[in-house]
Amino acid sequence: MEIITTVKNMQTLSGKLHKNRYIGFVPTMGFLHRGHLSLVDRARSMSDIVVVSIFVNPKQFGPSEDIKSYPRDFKHDRRLLEETECDILFYPDVEDLYPQGYSTYVEVEGFDTTLCGARRHRHMRGVATVCTKLFNIVRPQLAVFGEKDYQQVIMIKKMVSDMNLNVEIVTSHTVREDDGLAVSSRNIYLNNGERKDAPVLYKALLIGKRMIETGENDTGNVLEAIREVIEEKKSSRIEYIEIVDKESLKILKRIDRPAVIALAVYFGTTRLIDNILTVPGGISKECSGKC
Amino acid sequence: MEIITTVKNMQTLSGKLHKNRYIGFVPTMGFLHRGHLSLVDRARSMSDIVVVSIFVNPKQFGPSEDIKSYPRDFKHDRRLLEETECDILFYPDVEDLYPQGYSTYVEVEGFDTTLCGARRHRHMRGVATVCTKLFNIVRPQLAVFGEKDYQQVIMIKKMVSDMNLNVEIVTSHTVREDDGLAVSSRNIYLNNGERKDAPVLYKALLIGKRMIETGENDTGNVLEAIREVIEEKKSSRIEYIEIVDKESLKILKRIDRPAVIALAVYFGTTRLIDNILTVPGGISKECSGKC
């Protein structure tokens, strides 16, 4: 595995590679776990060359957020990637991606009214900006994103389409611990009690999904049931639970189409997100006669 | 000359071409004149393949501006380009570049406080956005812009640097009529009287430049002299005259570094812009002992 630490060197290499090799790209903020590795596997299966970036992007953290304490362990990340079939690790400095006087931003309008976009000031703009920059530097034909960050995936797809970017966006399912907790770099912050409580998120999402798929279409009823289950756990503090259209992410009053239940919940001071796809009437209805 | 009218066809072609040919690109809004043709010549001298786009970009016109009446003559443009050595004319529809629900914008902060950016709402954002899209579609290694739109050139260079775009920005001098009027698609709007008055812009810029290069460094004095000359013409109405740093475009109170005098002036209902570079103390001082 080759490690590249400057934008210039990465651009020189990708400028040659992209002409006759299919580059698959996995952008990450490091502190890698099984979720990231599943994205690398996905890229591997579809590309000639796999590039993984590790960059904790300051532009997607708000002023009161956890960038300073965001977990980092480059040696561990490098070892994990060496054990996968990653070809190139791109590991640039903040000053290299955002030199003094940096002032250009990419914004996909309409993503700051629901879900994380409504709560994390300029988070979505920061994600769109860094992804555009990384795509221009790495020049991948394909990039893989995890569905755990559902709103991010939808926004990146919209941005790629609007901006005519020459990259295909592929998504990969959320990887979970045995007890259902979505794997996340932030799980390391949880103390023992919080770690025991946190799997309630997936349990609650499954309850909501089951309600919708067995006929409940009132958003308020579903949200109330999910909220009740989560609030049984003492260390939890709900930031939001929303049910939105699967494609447009518009909030649904009645669940009359494929939807996503998405939530952000604090356990102690640690903010976790999760989501689940659901189809009113369930799989049997969706697949009627075909599966 | 090949004419391509869809984004998809242009992307298919440029996806092949850019791998082993050096593509030079000239984005235009059509109604071509000698100024545009000088940009095409410049691209020709530096590239294997020259692509010219014609697209009147609605995103860079404000709600009260002249997009509907902006002059268009495709047949004339095509004939002019056929007489040059343009290889590909890209001529897309508005709906193809901005399909329904389009919502992604590129913004270079700090360009809405001086010059045209301060007067034309969201003009600079519209320019940055369409240029990014066109670069992604045409995939040029080089793009040529005219210095008449000075603020635009500086912004595009900043955007390309910030966004790590793989394109070199080349600039070309303003082309003028024999009487000094900068050639522009909008000159066609001028009636006979206005056309006779309009060369005063270049005359006034030269007076300002001469003052600065012979020792005047007080911005107010230079602006007053320029203003006086222009206001002698009855059909003129000044929108702005500003003296700004050549690189940062920050307004200068004292002219103590290389600067640009830039202005926008109405003649009747037609808004014209022009600018001139100037160095305090003049060329002799700048080149002392070296040239």
Side-chain angles (χ1 to χ4, degrees), chain A residues 11 18-19 101-109 125 133 136-137 139 158 162-166, chain B residues 11 18-19 101-109 125 133 136-137 139 158 162-166:
Chain A
Q11 282 186 303
H18 91 285
K19 291 185 179 177
Y102 184 91
S103 60
T104 306
Y105 297 93
V106 180
E107 188 147 18
V108 190
E109 292 187 338
R125 185 181 86 152
K133 284 171 65 67
N136 289 335
I137 295 165
R139 304 181 82 158
K158 174 76 173 133
D162 278 356
M163 287 278 102
N164 309 102
L165 282 161
N166 300 289
Chain B
Q11 282 187 300
H18 91 284
K19 290 184 180 178
Y102 184 90
S103 59
T104 306
Y105 297 92
V106 180
E107 188 148 18
V108 189
E109 291 187 340
R125 186 182 83 153
K133 284 171 64 69
N136 289 336
I137 294 164
R139 304 180 82 158
K158 176 75 174 133
D162 278 356
M163 288 278 102
N164 310 100
L165 281 160
N166 300 289

Side-chain angles (χ1 to χ4, degrees), chain A residues 231-243:
Chain A
E231 286 179 343
E232 278 173 20
K233 303 296 178 185
K234 276 187 190 164
S235 69
S236 74
R237 182 168 56 83
I238 294 167
E239 185 182 76
Y240 71 80
I241 312 167
E242 286 178 1
I243 301 177

Side-chain angles (χ1 to χ4, degrees), chain A residues 38-265:
Chain A
S38 77
L39 307 181
V40 177
D41 286 346
R42 194 75 200 276
R44 177 78 277 161
S45 70
M46 300 174 78
S47 321
D48 299 324
I49 300 279
V50 174
V51 181
V52 175
S53 66
I54 294 180
F55 181 66
V56 183
N57 175 33
K59 302 288 186 189
Q60 71 191 67
F61 287 80
S64 63
E65 290 181 2
D66 61 346
I67 184 160
K68 278 192 185 164
S69 64
Y70 194 85
R72 293 163 170 88
D73 188 344
F74 180 68
K75 284 185 186 172
H76 181 254
D77 290 345
R78 185 175 61 189
R79 203 176 62 240
L80 275 185
L81 289 174
E82 276 167 352
E83 289 166 10
T84 70
E85 293 179 86
C86 172
D87 299 298
I88 296 166
L89 167 55
F90 179 45
Y91 181 56
D93 283 344
V94 170
E95 294 72 24
D96 201 5
L97 272 191
Y98 300 114
Q100 197 168 14
Y102 184 91
S103 60
T104 306
Y105 297 93
V106 180
E107 188 147 18
V108 190
E109 292 187 338
F111 279 83
D112 52 359
T113 54
T114 56
L115 309 177
C116 292
R119 279 87 187 178
R120 300 187 66 187
H121 180 60
R122 293 200 155 162
H123 171 69
M124 286 293 155
R125 185 181 86 152
V127 171
T129 300
V130 80
C131 285
T132 303
K133 284 171 65 67
L134 290 170
F135 291 166
N136 289 335
I137 295 165
V138 175
R139 304 181 82 158
Q141 285 87 346
L142 172 152
V144 188
F145 290 83
E147 287 170 5
K148 185 164 88 66
D149 298 298
Y150 190 83
Q151 188 178 22
Q152 171 178 292
V153 167
I154 296 290
M155 182 194 66
I156 295 289
K157 284 183 173 176
K158 174 76 173 133
M159 178 187 83
V160 163
S161 167
D162 278 356
M163 287 278 102
N164 309 102
L165 282 161
N166 300 289
V167 56
E168 179 190 356
I169 303 302
V170 170
T171 62
S172 198
H173 292 316
T174 300
V175 174
R176 299 182 181 281
E177 305 291 355
D178 289 342
D179 57 14
L181 178 64
V183 302
S184 163
S185 305
R186 288 186 172 92
N187 291 351
I188 196 172
Y189 296 140
L190 301 168
N191 67 27
N192 287 345
E194 291 157 3
R195 177 63 189 80
K196 275 182 195 156
D197 285 351
V200 75
L201 297 185
Y202 188 52
K203 187 180 154 197
L205 287 171
L206 285 175
I207 288 168
K209 179 183 170 78
R210 168 72 62 94
M211 285 175 74
I212 292 166
E213 297 189 351
T214 55
E216 178 64 74
N217 60 14
D218 183 273
T219 299
N221 291 344
V222 178
L223 292 182
E224 194 185 327
I226 293 174
R227 185 173 289 275
E228 249 176 39
V229 174
I230 293 173
E231 286 179 343
E232 278 173 20
K233 303 296 178 185
K234 276 187 190 164
S235 69
S236 74
R237 182 168 56 83
I238 294 167
E239 185 182 76
Y240 71 80
I241 312 167
E242 286 178 1
I243 301 177
V244 297
D245 180 281
K246 174 179 174 287
E247 302 291 341
S248 72
L249 303 188
K250 283 192 180 142
I251 290 173
L252 298 177
K253 287 185 180 173
R254 294 198 80 72
I255 308 152
D256 55 3
R257 67 198 80 177
V260 171
I261 315 173
L263 49 75
V265 176

